[in-house]
Structures are given as structure tokens and as C-alpha cells.
Amino acid sequence: MATNKMKMGPLLHINKDINCLRNLVLAGTNYFVIIDNNLQHLSSFFEDFPQIRLTACEQGKTLETVEKIAETLLELGADRDAFIIGVGGGITTDIAGFTASIYKRGVKFAFVPTTLLSQTDASIGGKNGVNFHAFKNMLGTITQPEWIFICPQLLETLPQEDFKAGIAEVLKTFILFDKEMYRTSVGYFSSVAKEYAQRDDRKNTYGKIAVNQDMDLLCRIIGKCAEYKCGVVERDEFEKGERRMLNLGHTFAHAIEKLSEGKISHGYAVSIGMVIAARIAGSMGVAQEGFAESLARDLMMAGLPSSLEECPATAHLKVADLTDAIKKDKKVTGNSLHFILPKGLEDVEDIVIPIETLKKICNDLR
Ligand SMILES: NC(=O)c1ccc[n+]([C@@H]2O[C@H](COP(=O)([O-])OP(=O)(O)OC[C@H]3O[C@@H](n4cnc5c(N)ncnc54)[C@H](O)[C@@H]3O)[C@@H](O)[C@H]2O)c1
Ligand SMILES: [Zn+2]
């Protein structure tokens, strides 16, 4: 079992064998498990403990759900020494982490992330929370889990679109920090997409193919990516500087998600958002030659969209439409915003740009 101790944060357990989870979750401990409804097949790992089931959907990522969980915890007799384990994708871990961080002024918690996105991103970093009114992740805390158990085997049952949403975030991390792993990952996910396209039985889910084509390599990709995120969080827990880099592609992604009224997944929006950001770097004359084009090609090979036109939910949108939505983003303060500008692999800059300048550049993008 590979472990990596963050100074302030969680123990990251990256493991190929799901059965190792049994060594972490020991009977006799005061565990309360919050588990995604779609993961009934994992219930047996937690049979000694009370389990609270959740339906993972953005509409249910609310204070009301947190209240219901707190009520159940009280009924179950969960005390100050309760230890909550969140099992599921980013929705479940965000809710479980938030509930734990405020229940009885905070109890210990840990995660078993079960989507590619949550194994490489959402479960790491201590950001927990729920949506409030029209705003995503508006209410929350930054509180670190005790440990995170990451196992690629858990992804076998993950549907195609959910898997691909995670690929976008993985490639984002490697664009920032590791061009070798970026190329390796593009190669791996492209060959998974190819194999999936060739199958006509489709009995094998996308997740099964992605996990079993080369489990060792997938484990290395996920592990590396999780470690990079851990490292950033360790150096900049409260997003004063370096952590902002992880927002690569996200300024436009959030606008795309908003204008498509939730009909496009976050990962697909990030994929398109990264290409737009690279095209902006190109039109500012600071990008490496052909970077936006090669990025778009790589993303497409990995099965991801690279432009608004490719997705039915966003085909009606123009890049210029997105800037108004960006203006309303909660992270935009005043007339300027932090924008993560990808000029090439491992060559990304955090700039402050007036929204009007961004708008003008976008108007000129075809
Ligand atoms: N806290 C953070 O730092 C952070 C970072 C990124 C994203 N997020 C949040 O993460 C959420 C998205 O997370 P997500 O993409 O993991 O999605 P999710 O939790 O919505 O899961 C996606 C779908 O997959 C199902 N599922 C989960 N694991 C499965 C498995 N192993 N097999 C089969 N089905 C499975 C779920 O039931 C759900 O239907 C968003 O709410 C986002 O705001 C948080
Ligand atoms: Zn994201």
C-alpha cells in the first residue's frame, strides 16, 4: 500500500486492491458511513457500521440534505467521537465532509472516493460544501479529512460520461505540472476510447475497459495526479496563490455550465474551457506555437469535447456569450479577474485581466 502523509492533511492511500480498505475500516470504531445510493455493491465493506444513503445529484447538494443527515446521526447516537466516512463521488464527499466539519462543531472524517474526478480532485484539498440558491458550493468549510482511500478498481462501474468528466481534470493537472504524465495519460485514455468505440456488445462498461486495459498504469496516473493536488493544497491551503492554478479552464467552464443550465457535465465544460483559455493565450501572442490546436486534438482523442459546437447542450453558445456569465461569477471581484492562461505544457500563468479586455479578445475569437 502506498501512503503519502501530508503535513497538515490526510493520509492518501493509493491502492490497486479494494480489499485493503478492510485494513483501514476496523470494526469497533465509531464509524458512520455516508454512502452514494449507486454504490450498494460496496455496502459489505461497511457492514459493521450504520450507513446513511444519499442520492448524488446537484439538486440534492443542499443544506436540507445536511440537516437530514445530522438528524439521522443524532438518532443513531453519533457523538463528539463519531468518525464519518464519505463513500461516493464528489457530491457525496463534499456533503459528507461538510456535515462532519459542522456536526457537534466538527467530528473526524475520511473519504472513499469512487469517481475518477473525486479520486484525483474533489476528495483532496479539504474543500467541503453544498450549493445555495443558484450558487454552486457557496456554503462550506475548508477542513481536511483524516485519510483518503483511492482505488482505481472502484471505477469499474463508472458510466462513460462520468469517467470522461474525470479525465478532463486529470489532464488539467498534468498540463500544469507534468508534461510526461500528460502525454502518457492522453495515450492511455485515447486507447481506452478507441477500444470502447470498437466494442459492439457494450456489456463492458467504459469504466471496466478503462480500469482493466492497464490497471498499473491507471493506478500510476491517478496516484500522480492525486499527489500533485495534495502538494498544491499543502503549499496553499486557502487559495492565496498556487492553488488558483487548479482553476485552469474553470473560468469558462463555470460560465458554460451556467448557460447550458446544467445539461453539460463539469468535466466536459472544463475540457472546452481549457481550449478556450489556450486560444486566448494564442491570440494574446504568448502561447507556444500550435498549443491550442494540439490540446484540442489530444482532448478529442481522449474522448472529450474541445469546442462549444461539439455538444448539443452548448452548440447554440458563442465564446463571446460566456463573458457576461463570467462577470457574474462569485470569484470575480471588481472589474478584473484572475485568469489562468495556458501557454503550453508546464507553462501556465496566473494573470489578472480586466473583464472588458477578456471580452474584447473573446469577441475576436472565431
Ligand atoms: N471539493 C472540491 O475540491 C471539489 C472539486 C471538484 C469538484 N467538486 C464537486 O464534485 C461534484 C462532482 O463530483 P463527481 O463528478 O465525482 O460526481 P458525483 O458524485 O455526482 O457522481 C457522478 C455519478 O456517478 C455515480 N457514481 C459514483 N461513483 C460510482 C461508481 N463507482 N460506479 C457507478 N456510479 C458511480 C453517482 O451516483 C453519480 O450518479 C460536484 O458537486 C463538484 O462541485 C468538489
Ligand atoms: Zn473542476
Side-chain angles (χ1 to χ4, degrees), residues 324-340:
D324 288 328
I326 288 171
K327 222 172 167 174
K328 294 185 190 141
D329 193 289
K330 67 180 190 279
K331 283 178 182 149
V332 178
T333 42
N335 297 320
S336 297
L337 73 153
H338 275 277
F339 187 69
I340 309 303

Side-chain angles (χ1 to χ4, degrees), residues 61-73:
K61 194 175 157 183
T62 58
L63 276 181
E64 205 184 340
T65 300
V66 174
E67 266 181 52
K68 278 191 193 137
I69 297 172
E71 266 163 28
T72 311
L73 286 169

Side-chain angles (χ1 to χ4, degrees), residues 336-358:
S336 297
L337 73 153
H338 275 277
F339 187 69
I340 309 303
L341 193 68
K343 300 184 282 186
L345 298 178
E346 289 183 51
D347 185 9
V348 179
E349 202 184 334
D350 178 2
I351 60 167
V352 174
I353 185 167
I355 186 97
E356 288 309 318
T357 309
L358 193 66

